[in-house]
């Protein structure tokens, strides 16, 4: 009877209500299904807008005219059979707190380009103090990791064209507009930058960015842009730690920093049902939500690692989702001296670990960079570390990741397990690779050239265990008339990235030549056949002449003539036993198949590889 009276009063209120300027929103869990829930909801003056949990169809967004008492309708919904839970939707904001950026770090002016895992970034971003404090590069090199899986960030979206992030960005989704692509650039309604000289301008209380002057003027102090760029900045911190992980931008917040809890729930379920391995939540709310807890429990069941910021009120207070410690790692902020940031919330009820959160240099829309302070920028350091953990232990869940990350640097009470140390976190699940070495290879394995041509090969060096020394190449086994060169002649490895050099083997063309001898008479002279013939003729004439005289001379003269003839024939070769001229001689690289050995040497470490070259 009581429920009928309540229903009657509600119907009277609804019939007498005038058109409302806005609706009350309710988050309802039901096992009735959308169609039956719509029928029930119509009886109570509400409307089912959409499912919030993706393919599960158990959690829905309902609206009702704002002139209807929301608490009354909430009581009716909770009393309805088939409705398991009903709560008011919440509006939360990224804006607010004590996290002011008082000074702009000097690193923000270091725009010198440097290659970071295949992308060109600013040196001030890649080598900032926060990265060194938590030992990002050392962890990447020691454990040979760059981040695995997909990291979803529930935020304002991202600049999809930022050169540092573009290669690893997924398209994501915009829940504020109910359309694909989690870009935040659609929020910037002003004309594109005019090309004025860039300046480091304050764009809100916690953020400064290097911007075109006209763009900075549009953003500075404008409430509609109070959180513009927040998502791109958070993504940049994640990418700094885990440059190999894919990034999934889920836009649930508007440029002014506001978001509906319903859209955040949609984003969590979307991430869980689209293969995310880590969910970063750089936001907090102070009112508990059963459905937020349920959504994160669902993600936990799918082995998704969840990270949230602890808040910027400088208090020991309970905020969500950081307080859901079974499913989420809450992150506080520290300065560069490992002290708690004055703006950071604290208390072990919401803080699992701390990470640097002051003057963090990171990416910003319009392909530029910014500096920011806040626990919003501490949380992504832990999310990135979780992606490194996932790469080493793909089957690890929230509990495993939290245990690994708990191996931190102790910094005092109320800061959970201490300040994040990426090396210690990964060391706890993976023994340190103490062997520092490299491998050598060549491609292609064979080349075919004609003598006089050059053959080129690519030689590769792949470091392991953080090997970061200089390597020099040498060649052996070259054919006659060939030479080799390597460009560059030496390579200094960075401990992680493979490095290539070009090997060139040059051959020389083949030519023929004949030896030239003296035309003078002599043994083996090529002129001997003609000369011998002359001698024979002379000797014959002399013999005849002597024989004629022999009729009247003594026998001694005849014997002398014969002896002279014989001597001349023997000494001059007689035209029959002369030495033939030598064959023509060839110079240059001979034809054949040659195996060439390439040796890569660095101090006491050397490795060899081989290539083959066929010379025609």
């Amino acid at each position: 009877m009581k429920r009928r009276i309540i229903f009657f009063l509600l119907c009277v209120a609804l019939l007498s209500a005038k058109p409302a300027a806005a609706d009350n929103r309710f988050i309802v869990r039901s096992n009735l299904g959308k169609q039956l829930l719509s029928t029930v909801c119509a009886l109570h003056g509400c409307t089912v807008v959409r499912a919030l949990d993706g393919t599960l169809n158990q959690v829905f967004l309902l609206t009702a005219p704002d002139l209807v008492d929301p608490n009354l309708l909430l009581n009716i919904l909770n009393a309805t059979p088939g409705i398991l839970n009903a709560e008011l939707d919440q509006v939360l904001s990224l804006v607010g707190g004590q996290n002011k950026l008082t000074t702009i770090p000097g690193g923000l002016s270091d725009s010198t380009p440097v290659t970071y895992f295949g992308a060109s970034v600013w040196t001030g971003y890649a080598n900032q103090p926060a990265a060194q404090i938590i030992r990002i590069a050392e962890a990447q090199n020691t454990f040979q990791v760059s981040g695995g899986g997909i990291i979803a960030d529930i935020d304002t979206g991202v600049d999809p064209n930022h050169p540092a992030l573009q290669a690893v960005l997924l398209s994501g989704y915009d829940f504020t507009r109910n359309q694909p692509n989690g870009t935040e650039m659609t929020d910037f309604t002003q004309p594109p930058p005019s090309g004025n000289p860039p300046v480091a301008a304050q764009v809100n209380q916690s953020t400064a960015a290097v911007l075109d002057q006209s763009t900075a003027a549009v953003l500075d102090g404008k409430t509609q842009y109070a959180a513009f760029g927040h998502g791109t900045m958070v993504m940049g911190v994640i990418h700094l730690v885990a440059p190999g992980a894919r990034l999934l931008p889920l836009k649930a917040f508007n440029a002014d920093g506001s978001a509906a809890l319903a859209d955040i729930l949609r984003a969590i379920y979307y991430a869980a049902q689209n293969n995310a391995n880590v969910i970063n939540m750089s936001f907090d709310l102070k009112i508990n939500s059963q459905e937020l807890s349920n959504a994160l429990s669902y993600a936990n069941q799918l082995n998704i690692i969840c990270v949230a910021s602890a808040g910027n009120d400088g208090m020991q207070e309970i905020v969500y989702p950081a307080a859901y410690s079974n499913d989420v790692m809450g992150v506080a902020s520290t300065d560069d001296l490992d002290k708690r940031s004055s703006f950071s919330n604290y208390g072990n009820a919401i803080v699992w670990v701390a990470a640097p959160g002051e003057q963090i240099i990171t990416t910003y829309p319009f392909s530029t960079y910014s500096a920011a302070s806040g626990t919003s920028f501490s949380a992504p350091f832990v999310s990135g570390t979780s992606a490194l953990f996932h790469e080493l232990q793909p089957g690890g869940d929230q509990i495993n990741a939290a245990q690994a990350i708990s191996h931190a640097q102790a910094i005092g009470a109320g800061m959970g397990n201490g300040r994040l140390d990426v090396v210690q976190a990964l060391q706890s699940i993976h023994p340190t690779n103490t062997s520092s070495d490299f491998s050598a290879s060549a491609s292609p394995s064979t080349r075919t050239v004609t003598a006089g041509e050059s053959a080129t090969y690519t030689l590769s060096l792949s470091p392991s265990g953080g090997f970061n020394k200089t390597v020099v190449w040498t060649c052996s086994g070259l054919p006659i008339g060939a030479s080799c060169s390597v460009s560059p002649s030496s390579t200094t490895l960075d401990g992680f990235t493979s490095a290539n050099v070009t090997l060139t083997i040059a051959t020389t063309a083949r030519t023929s030549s004949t030896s030239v001898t003296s035309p003078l008479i002599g043994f083996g002279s090529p002129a001997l056949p003609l000369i011998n013939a002359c001698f024979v003729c002379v000797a014959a004439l002399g013999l005849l002449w002597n024989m004629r005289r022999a009729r009247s001379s003594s026998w001694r003269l005849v014997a002398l003539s014969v002896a002279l003839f014989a001597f001349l024939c023997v000494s001059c070769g007689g035209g029959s036993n002369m030495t033939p001229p030598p064959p023509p001689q060839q110079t240059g690289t001979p034809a054949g198949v040659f195996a060439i050995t390439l040796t890569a040497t660095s101090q006491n470490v050397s490795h060899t590889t081989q290539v083959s070259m066929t010379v025609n």
Side-chain angles (χ1 to χ4, degrees):
M1 184 65 182
K2 181 178 179 181
R3 290 178 58 188
R4 290 181 181 179
I5 294 173
I6 294 175
F7 175 69
F8 173 76
L9 293 175
L10 178 61
C11 290
V12 171
L14 292 175
L15 290 174
S16 62
K18 296 179 180 180
D23 289 338
N24 288 312
R25 295 158 56 98
F26 304 85
I27 299 171
V28 173
R29 175 176 292 274
S30 171
N31 58 16
L32 298 175
K34 183 176 180 180
Q35 184 173 357
L36 185 54
L37 179 62
S38 297
T39 302
V40 171
C41 194
L43 296 175
H44 299 300
C46 55
T47 302
V48 178
V49 178
R50 65 173 60 90
L52 302 178
D53 57 354
T55 58
L56 300 180
N57 284 307
Q58 295 178 349
V59 184
F60 301 89
L61 173 64
L62 278 58
T63 60
D66 68 340
L67 294 181
V68 176
D69 185 346
N71 293 320
L72 177 61
L73 182 55
L74 200 61
N75 290 333
I76 293 174
L77 292 173
N78 276 315
T80 301
I83 293 180
L84 307 179
N85 180 60
E87 61 184 69
L88 284 171
D89 194 8
Q90 297 186 46
V91 176
L92 56 156
S93 179
L94 294 171
V95 180
Q98 302 174 10
N99 52 317
K100 299 182 185 300
L101 188 69
T102 55
T103 58
I104 299 175
L108 190 58
S109 64
D110 190 354
S111 59
T112 306
V114 62
T115 300
Y116 190 69
F117 291 86
S120 179
V121 303
W122 286 10
T123 297
Y125 163 73
N127 298 325
Q128 62 181 293
Q132 299 170 22
I133 290 170
I134 64 174
R135 300 200 286 174
I136 293 175
E138 184 179 349
Q140 292 168 342
N141 293 334
T142 301
F143 301 98
Q144 294 295 282
V145 290
S146 62
I150 297 173
I151 306 177
D153 179 41
I154 302 174
D155 219 302
T156 60
V158 71
D159 178 356
N161 297 314
H162 200 291
L165 308 176
Q166 192 172 25
V168 295
L169 277 176
L170 300 172
S171 62
Y173 197 84
D174 183 350
F175 298 97
T176 67
R177 295 181 174 89
N178 297 312
Q179 62 187 26
N181 299 320
T183 174
E184 65 178 329
M185 303 311 289
T186 50
D187 290 335
F188 190 76
T189 59
Q190 299 296 318
S194 64
N196 292 330
V199 294
Q202 197 90 13
V203 294
N204 62 50
Q205 69 168 9
S206 64
T207 307
V210 177
L211 291 169
D212 171 274
Q213 289 180 353
S214 61
T215 305
V218 170
L219 295 175
D220 189 12
K222 305 298 191 300
T223 56
Q224 66 267 38
Y225 295 119
F228 180 77
H230 191 276
T232 302
M233 290 187 285
V234 169
M235 283 292 202
V237 178
I238 294 173
H239 184 67
L240 181 65
V241 184
R246 306 299 300 274
L247 304 178
L248 181 65
L250 301 179
K251 179 174 172 56
F253 286 82
N254 300 299
D256 64 1
S258 64
L261 176 59
D263 285 339
I264 291 173
L265 296 179
R266 293 172 68 195
I268 294 172
Y269 284 107
Y270 183 97
Q273 294 170 12
N274 285 271
N275 305 312
N277 305 105
V278 180
I279 298 177
N280 183 82
M281 297 172 286
S282 289
F283 58 83
D284 67 277
L285 62 154
K286 296 179 173 59
I287 301 176
N288 185 26
S289 165
Q290 181 60 50
E291 287 310 319
L292 178 58
S293 177
N294 290 342
L296 293 170
S297 293
Y298 172 73
N300 182 276
Q301 293 167 13
L302 298 177
N303 287 353
I304 299 173
I305 303 166
C306 298
V307 180
S309 56
N312 303 318
D313 297 321
M315 300 172 58
Q316 185 171 353
E317 61 179 352
I318 301 298
V319 296
Y320 307 92
Y324 304 135
S325 56
N326 289 334
D327 300 317
V328 178
M329 284 183 277
V331 186
S333 171
T334 55
D335 62 16
D336 290 349
L337 299 176
D338 278 350
K339 303 296 183 181
R340 178 179 68 85
S341 300
S342 61
F343 57 77
S344 177
N345 286 347
Y346 57 96
N348 294 342
I350 61 169
V351 177
W352 180 256
V353 72
E358 295 190 30
Q359 299 182 329
I360 304 302
I361 300 172
T362 184
T363 51
Y364 195 79
F366 313 110
S367 301
T368 188
Y369 290 79
S370 63
S373 295
T375 58
S376 284
F377 310 105
S378 302
F381 280 118
V382 178
S383 293
T385 304
S386 298
L388 301 181
F389 163 86
H390 175 76
E391 184 178 358
L392 291 178
Q393 197 172 102
D397 59 10
Q398 175 77 28
I399 294 176
N400 302 138
Q403 288 176 342
I405 289 172
S406 69
H407 292 78
Q409 296 288 340
I411 56 173
M415 300 297 278
N417 292 284
R419 192 260 300 146
L420 174 68
D421 186 317
V422 184
V423 172
Q424 285 190 188
L426 301 185
Q427 174 67 46
S428 69
I429 62 166
H430 193 282
T432 302
N433 186 356
T434 57
S435 63
S436 182
D437 203 349
F438 66 92
S439 60
S441 62
S443 66
S445 59
T446 184
R447 291 279 197 192
T448 300
V449 297
T450 300
E453 298 178 343
S454 296
T456 60
Y457 304 81
T458 298
L459 306 181
S460 297
L461 296 169
S462 299
S464 61
F467 189 90
N468 57 0
K469 297 179 176 61
T470 300
V471 181
V472 178
W473 289 93
T474 56
C475 310
S476 61
L478 293 169
I480 296 172
S483 61
C484 84
S485 62
V486 178
S487 179
S489 59
S490 64
T491 304
T492 302
L493 298 174
D494 65 1
F496 181 82
T497 309
S498 296
N500 296 333
V501 299
T502 300
L503 166 70
T504 301
I505 299 177
T507 64
T508 54
R510 292 188 289 272
T511 59
S512 299
S513 63
T514 303
S515 61
V516 179
T517 58
S518 172
L520 298 176
I521 299 173
F523 295 108
S525 171
L528 279 177
L530 178 61
I531 296 172
N532 287 349
C534 292
F535 271 116
V536 170
C537 290
V538 171
L541 290 174
L543 177 62
L544 291 175
W545 182 77
N546 284 305
M547 289 179 65
R548 181 181 177 186
R549 292 188 59 189
R551 296 175 183 172
S552 58
S553 302
S554 65
W555 61 270
R556 288 188 181 87
L557 185 59
V558 174
L560 179 63
S561 297
V562 172
L564 176 62
F565 176 76
F567 173 76
L568 290 173
C569 290
V570 172
S571 64
C572 296
S576 61
N577 293 323
M578 62 182 178
T579 303
Q585 295 183 357
Q586 286 190 341
T587 60
T589 304
V593 179
F594 303 93
I596 300 165
T597 300
L598 297 318
T599 303
T601 304
S602 178
Q603 296 180 354
N604 296 325
V605 182
S606 65
H607 295 282
T608 61
T609 185
Q610 277 194 334
V611 295
S612 173
M613 183 175 70
T614 301
V615 182
N616 294 325

